[in-house]
Amino acid sequence: MSTDYQFFTPKEIVQELDKYIIGQTEAKRNVAIALRNRWRRMQVKEPLKQDIVPNNILMVGPTGVGKTEIARRLAKIAKVPFVKVEASKFTEVGYVGRDVESMVRDLVERAIALVKAEQMETIQDKATHQVEEIILNILVTDIQEKINTDKSLEKQQSSYNTRERFREKLKSGALDQREIEIKITKTTPPSNINSLGAGPAIDEGFIMNFQDMFSNFLPKQTKKRKVTIGEARTLLLTEEINKLIDMNAVKEEALARASHSGIIFIDEIDKIAHTTPSNSPGVSREGVQRDLLPIVEGSTVQTKHGPINTDHILFIGAGAFHMAKPSDLIPELQGRFPIRVTLENLSEKDFYKILDEPKSALPVQYQALLSVEGVKLDFSLEAKQEIATTAYLLNEEIENIGARRLQTVMSHLLTPILFDVPDTITPHTTITITKEMVQEALADLIKRKDLSAYIL
């Protein structure tokens, strides 16, 4: 099982997170410790190893302060399966909607994709070579048929030279537009079981398992297609890679990785907190919590790839908790999130840092977009400060949506420029955003009382 994050100490993990997320030091420290503890556990000998469970984390803070981004970046650092779900999308068992086990099945699917992608990298060269040979075989078929009737060495040598000439042209791309006929394996997909009039209470896992089992009995058909060599490369490469990948090994590794290093981020967990009387109409929020509890505590979930135990999956819950408090969750669920972290509101200084420091800061993104059109976009220091100030004031006066307010402000500021490129603003143009331009462009945003069009 992959343990790439063993090389990152908690301090190094925080340093990596700092490249993309401003502030929130306490949250970063806690997730860094949680990640390192997972590697530490893998080094512990049995049977104690099985008894060490992760300390799940509950992040409390307003929207747009970095809760989701911390969890997502953490998973990327560790190269582990990660899935984000919204607790408000789940419904109590027996009601129409997603059941809580679906997030574990989603995690397994992410793990399958992750492991398969890693294996694809290792076999890419071999598959590419095999595709090249298949295409060469098609190109020299006529010559090989002649060789079958004339065994002279001269003819064979001529065929060899022809094949090598084709190979050189193939590698150079000179034959990419030439059409050839190839054979492609085709499997007829099963019809959707829901279309048979089944009731809404049918379990999602049962549907997937049934469809997967049914598809295994379908005969694989081969059909001929006339395509260019360039298209043939793509189609045949996919087939050859699928032939070379041992899916049984992929599933086994994916289940292990999801079980021992997977991360499930449960957003909007405050939306299922019990803040209304138990006899209120509608789906019971407490019921969803009780369905969620065994998954977080540790249980076995059946997936179409096999059973997975959730004992060592790291769960990170998050919510603004404006209308509810963490104590409004049922006590059992509270106990399964022993690490509680409060994320702070962003300051005006934080807004400026978000514009200036992260590798994928908004100004960098817009510069990259316009560079495609040959237009260079620059921001003066004062312009960034003015954008940060405006975003902060709008959050204070209207509604606090955190760093997402910067997207609103930047979009409003740059919309005229984005519209005029390349018709009015032609390539090889340099545009420098100044403080005065920001003030002029955003003046109406500050003055207007009704900003509903700009609230995300």
Side-chain angles (χ1 to χ4, degrees), residues 57-74:
I57 300 169
L58 181 63
M59 294 185 183
V60 180
T63 183
V65 296
K67 300 187 296 293
T68 304
E69 192 64 14
I70 287 174
R72 184 182 290 115
R73 291 291 175 183
L74 187 73

Side-chain angles (χ1 to χ4, degrees), residues 213-225:
M213 177 184 68
F214 186 72
S215 65
N216 289 333
F217 290 100
L218 292 174
K220 289 182 170 54
Q221 302 174 344
T222 300
K223 73 170 188 175
K224 292 182 178 180
R225 281 186 61 182

Side-chain angles (χ1 to χ4, degrees), residues 100-138:
V100 294
E101 289 188 352
S102 63
M103 64 184 179
V104 181
R105 291 192 287 268
D106 289 344
L107 184 70
V108 172
E109 293 298 330
R110 297 287 175 87
I112 292 280
L114 186 65
V115 175
K116 189 174 180 181
E118 290 174 359
Q119 288 208 8
M120 285 173 64
E121 287 185 12
T122 63
I123 63 174
Q124 184 81 20
D125 291 342
K126 184 176 181 180
T128 301
H129 175 72
Q130 290 185 359
V131 168
E132 183 180 283
E133 294 302 318
I134 292 172
I135 295 174
L136 285 173
N137 288 340
I138 295 172

Side-chain angles (χ1 to χ4, degrees), residues 306-321:
I308 175 176
N309 190 282
T310 66
D311 281 344
H312 298 103
I313 293 174
L314 176 64
F315 291 90
I316 301 177
F321 287 96

Side-chain angles (χ1 to χ4, degrees), residues 162-224:
T162 300
R163 188 180 186 88
E164 292 310 304
R165 285 198 299 271
F166 274 133
R167 189 188 303 277
E168 291 175 7
K169 291 183 178 181
L170 204 58
K171 288 182 177 179
S172 67
L175 301 176
D176 280 359
Q177 298 306 313
R178 179 168 175 168
E179 286 193 341
I180 58 173
E181 191 174 71
I182 62 173
K183 293 180 180 180
I184 299 176
T185 303
K186 175 187 174 185
T187 303
T188 305
S191 60
N192 192 332
I193 191 172
N194 287 333
S195 65
L196 303 178
I202 288 184
D203 179 65
E204 181 182 351
F206 169 79
I207 293 174
M208 290 190 301
N209 288 331
F210 181 85
Q211 290 180 337
D212 191 54
M213 177 184 68
F214 186 72
S215 65
N216 289 333
F217 290 100
L218 292 174
K220 289 182 170 54
Q221 302 174 344
T222 300
K223 73 170 188 175
K224 292 182 178 180

Side-chain angles (χ1 to χ4, degrees), residues 4-5 8 12-17 20 35 70 72-80:
D4 291 341
Y5 54 85
F8 287 100
E12 290 171 337
I13 294 170
V14 171
Q15 288 171 0
E16 285 295 310
L17 293 173
Y20 303 95
L35 187 60
I70 287 174
R72 184 182 290 115
R73 291 291 175 183
L74 187 73
K76 287 186 177 181
I77 291 170
K79 298 180 182 178
V80 297

